[in-house]
Amino acid sequence: MSKFPIDLIQKRPPTLWRYEEALPAIPAQERVTFHEGFTPLVPFEVGKTEVLLKLDFLFPTGSYKDRGATVLMSQAKKEGVQFVVQDSSGNAGCAIAGYSAKANIGCKIFVPADTSPAKIIQIELYGAEIVKVQGDREATAQACLHEAQTAYYASHVYNDLFLQGTKTFAFEVCEQLGWQTPDSVVLPAGNGTLILGAYLGFSELLQAGIIAKMPKLIGVQARNCAPLYALHSRQVLPAWSPTLAEGIAIATPKRGQEMIDAVQKTGGTFVAVGEADIEATLFDLARKGYFVEPTSACVVAGLAQYVATLQEPEKIVSVLTGTGLKASEKLQKLRTKK
Ligand SMILES: Cc1ncc(COP(=O)(O)O)c(C=O)c1O
């Protein structure tokens, strides 16, 4: 049977599990799911250019990480896993903790101590144990790796089951465009959960003959922490400094080379966004009704940079990855400063 039986898919409920032939084989009744996915794809004006934004901040735990969590935790449950550990800048931790609660599986999440308080509360209320690590994202990963030697590592970075979930981003975009591919897809570039997942998803659609070409993948980083942008554009940037875009503040992404390869193979590129631009875009998005976190605003600011370089019109898709509700303290501070 085809990996993408289109007639069957279109008759199924609008969740990311409608692509079940392309996902790990887990019977419907065993899935750990909130019937998530198939998020809206809405038109959005960038200057005079119309693009499409996928509203992935509308997932049950508040970010696109639920795509990976539902698949990873479903497989973990199927294998009889009783306890998972994970490290995160916040959202992936919320997703794994939320789905662990749904599955009744024990969970311990490591986060940097300066993670947004709402993300920490969310993880705690799901019933997960939380470890606040003094130090950066790298130190947090190191602390967790130690525990992962003796527990199931539900990592969005190392565990490929997570990408099996995030690849559904590509399937949904393609289906929502009438089984066509966009010309380019503008995505955040932190640890690569979405870029590598999207690359995998579009590659599978290409291999199955559903689409005729890969879209260009455009990776967006914050200029204050832009290791992939620097490597790709052969620039030497100043050392890492704090950024509003906490979700993509990854100074040494473990799968960085893979991310650069994926972007380059599609003919895409990386862009880097300054802090003032992130802030201005955040408020602009809110005034248009999109209440998202600064990391998502960074992507839209990168999208605008990309659009400004275009000579020819393109069909462009981008994404709003995380809700603003978890960033209210940070947003309050920015608002007061204005
Ligand atoms: C809101 C948000 N957007 C984007 C990202 C980007 O991460 P990645 O490159 O792993 O997809 C993250 C990661 O935590 C995030 O929380």
Side-chain angles (χ1 to χ4, degrees), residues 9 24 31 43 50-51 69 72 83 87 93 102 105 117 122 147 184 194 205 224 311 323-324 328 333:
I9 290 172
R31 291 174 194 155
E50 187 175 287
V51 302
L72 185 148
F83 183 75
D87 52 277
K102 181 89 170 80
I105 289 176
Q122 187 180 359
E147 298 243 348
S184 44
L194 195 49
L205 290 163
N224 279 2
Q311 311 289 335
T323 176
S328 47
K333 278 192 197 131

Side-chain angles (χ1 to χ4, degrees), residues 301-314:
L303 166 68
Q305 263 191 45
Y306 176 67
V307 166
T309 64
L310 292 179
Q311 311 289 335
E312 303 274 321
E314 286 190 352

Side-chain angles (χ1 to χ4, degrees), residues 64-65 89 91 156 188-194 247-248 293 295-296 321-322:
Y64 76 99
K65 303 273 187 186
S89 65
N91 280 323
H156 57 296
N191 264 316
T193 322
L194 195 49
I248 49 175
E293 68 170 271
T295 306
S296 304
T321 47

Side-chain angles (χ1 to χ4, degrees), residues 94-256:
C94 294
I96 290 296
Y99 283 77
S100 293
K102 181 89 170 80
N104 202 16
I105 289 176
C107 178
K108 185 168 178 177
I109 304 287
F110 293 72
V111 292
D114 63 356
T115 297
S116 287
K119 291 178 183 168
I120 291 177
I121 280 286
Q122 187 180 359
I123 292 168
E124 284 176 340
L125 287 187
Y126 284 137
E129 193 183 329
I130 193 151
V131 182
K132 294 176 213 159
V133 179
Q134 295 300 334
D136 59 9
R137 185 63 187 81
E138 184 68 26
T140 309
Q142 283 309 321
C144 184
L145 273 173
H146 182 68
E147 298 243 348
Q149 287 166 7
T150 51
Y152 185 93
Y153 193 20
S155 170
H156 57 296
V157 183
Y158 293 101
N159 192 324
D160 277 334
L161 280 169
F162 213 93
L163 298 188
Q164 288 297 314
T166 54
K167 73 182 183 183
T168 59
F169 175 86
F171 302 163
E172 290 178 21
V173 165
C174 177
E175 183 176 355
Q176 287 167 319
L177 293 178
W179 299 103
Q180 302 286 317
T181 183
D183 296 312
S184 44
V185 182
V186 181
L187 298 171
N191 264 316
T193 322
L194 195 49
I195 283 206
L196 295 176
Y199 182 77
L200 182 63
F202 284 115
S203 303
E204 289 184 10
L205 290 163
L206 186 68
Q207 259 169 22
I210 305 287
I211 57 174
K213 61 161 194 180
M214 288 291 279
K216 284 183 280 181
L217 296 183
I218 315 299
V220 182
Q221 301 210 288
R223 186 165 275 277
N224 279 2
C225 184
L228 305 180
Y229 167 79
L231 272 174
H232 174 80
S233 59
R234 296 175 208 276
Q235 286 186 51
V236 181
L237 291 181
W240 181 91
S241 54
T243 169
L244 284 168
E246 68 180 26
I248 49 175
I250 314 291
T252 46
K254 289 290 158 292
R255 301 177 80 159

Side-chain angles (χ1 to χ4, degrees), residues 5-81:
I6 289 178
D7 290 344
L8 267 181
I9 290 172
Q10 287 173 172
K11 287 191 195 114
R12 294 184 181 141
T15 85
L16 61 76
W17 286 99
R18 70 206 254 116
Y19 310 104
E20 61 182 43
E21 289 80 3
L23 295 174
I26 302 163
Q29 63 283 4
E30 287 177 35
R31 291 174 194 155
V32 183
T33 177
F34 297 99
H35 298 183
E36 58 290 292
F38 218 76
T39 52
L41 185 66
V42 300
F44 181 81
E45 303 281 324
V46 177
K48 290 197 168 67
T49 306
E50 187 175 287
V51 302
L52 291 162
L53 282 184
K54 195 136 169 71
L55 305 188
D56 269 19
F57 68 105
L58 300 178
F59 270 96
T61 80
S63 87
Y64 76 99
K65 303 273 187 186
D66 292 3
R67 292 188 185 277
T70 182
V71 172
L72 185 148
M73 292 306 296
S74 294
Q75 183 66 28
K77 189 171 173 213
K78 187 178 156 192
E79 289 170 17
V81 170

